[in-house]
Amino acid sequence: MKWSEIPIQTKKYMIFSVVILLLFSFVFANFAEELIEAKLYHFDQMIIDQVLLWVNPNLTLMMKFFTFLGSTKALIVLLLIVAGLMIWNKKRWEAIFLLIGTAGGAIFNEILKEIFHRERPTLHRLIEVKGYSFPSGHSMVSFIFYGMVCMFFIMFLESRAIKAVVFLITVFVIFMIGLSRIYLGVHYPSDVLAGFAAGGAWLIICLMGLRFILEIRKRKAKLVN
């Protein structure tokens, strides 16, 4: 499909997506550069010191719940359920991109961790996890999965009020998953923010690909009819 043949709304969508993609990429690149130059210590420590003031048994239980929502087990179960419901409702391409986007994001996260080799925090560890720290896998993959599901709701729903509620709930869940990783002592704040940025960039790429595929299918359907 030539650029001149693409509908104006899709062109606007693509241009806006590229701007957001560049923004997410810029944020991640900044954190990566600061990490390489060992300039993140004071930034991380300032936030960690504030989070430590909140620690109490009830809040710890809540944070463990949110960190579970970003765990591999929870995301796999939710991914299969949501993808299955989409296929059942004849949203096959959306299901494919959700599966590819989430799985690809998880693989991409592991590649980034192997590149940067940042060790996890050693103080105030409330749970035990293995592997490298930068960027946070929970933050990155949760941003991709919950973000994409949120976008699908916005695409399919008609009520603006419900769309707004879905968006706010999604932002809250993603934020709490990231915060839980700092609170539980398994990630630095810069790990979480870099995870959000990398996840956001990956999410935008997936959504742009999906929009392009759907546009091609729509065009083919018109030609057939």
Side-chain angles (χ1 to χ4, degrees):
M1 182 183 294
K2 297 179 180 179
W3 179 255
S4 59
E5 298 174 341
I6 298 175
I8 186 65
Q9 289 300 323
T10 300
K11 287 181 180 178
K12 290 180 179 179
Y13 180 91
M14 291 297 183
I15 293 171
F16 179 75
S17 296
V18 169
V19 172
I20 300 300
L21 173 61
L22 293 175
L23 177 61
F24 278 129
S25 300
F26 174 77
V27 172
F28 179 81
N30 270 355
F31 276 113
E33 181 181 1
E34 295 291 303
L35 175 63
I36 292 171
E37 296 179 0
K39 294 181 179 179
L40 290 174
Y41 175 78
H42 294 294
F43 170 80
D44 287 328
Q45 197 58 50
M46 178 181 64
I47 297 176
I48 290 172
D49 288 343
Q50 293 299 313
V51 172
L52 289 178
L53 298 176
W54 311 341
V55 174
N56 66 73
N58 291 331
L59 188 56
T60 299
L61 285 175
M62 185 177 74
M63 290 298 180
K64 286 183 177 180
F65 168 74
F66 279 107
T67 217
F68 172 74
L69 291 181
S71 67
T72 301
K73 290 181 180 179
L75 289 176
I76 288 175
V77 172
L78 291 172
L79 178 61
L80 294 175
I81 292 173
V82 175
L85 289 173
M86 285 182 172
I87 293 172
W88 179 266
N89 286 282
K90 299 181 180 179
K91 301 295 182 182
R92 183 168 58 90
W93 278 106
E94 287 84 349
I96 290 173
F97 269 82
L98 181 63
L99 289 166
I100 293 175
T102 305
I107 295 170
F108 185 37
N109 177 259
E110 291 300 320
I111 293 172
L112 290 173
K113 286 186 175 183
E114 289 297 325
I115 291 173
F116 292 101
H117 277 99
R118 190 186 199 184
E119 298 294 337
R120 293 181 184 273
T122 55
L123 299 175
H124 180 63
R125 187 76 70 82
L126 297 181
I127 60 174
E128 289 300 324
V129 294
K130 297 179 181 179
Y132 293 117
S133 186
F134 183 94
S136 164
H138 271 62
S139 302
M140 181 173 171
V141 182
S142 294
F143 198 109
I144 296 166
F145 172 75
Y146 291 109
M148 194 174 294
V149 172
C150 174
M151 288 304 299
F152 290 155
F153 270 110
I154 291 174
M155 287 167 57
F156 302 148
L157 294 173
E158 295 183 3
S159 170
R160 290 186 177 181
I162 297 177
K163 288 181 180 182
V165 170
V166 170
F167 177 78
L168 291 175
I169 291 174
T170 302
V171 171
F172 175 73
V173 170
I174 293 173
F175 172 79
M176 290 303 297
I177 289 172
L179 181 60
S180 72
R181 305 306 284 171
I182 302 170
Y183 178 95
L184 295 171
V186 293
H187 278 297
Y188 295 103
S190 52
D191 298 334
V192 170
L193 294 175
F196 287 157
W202 188 264
L203 173 62
I204 293 297
I205 292 171
C206 293
L207 291 175
M208 288 174 67
L210 175 61
R211 181 67 175 254
F212 187 70
I213 292 294
L214 294 179
E215 198 63 54
I216 290 176
R217 288 176 59 81
K218 186 187 296 184
R219 182 175 176 80
K220 286 182 177 180
K222 287 181 179 179
L223 291 175
V224 171
N225 294 330

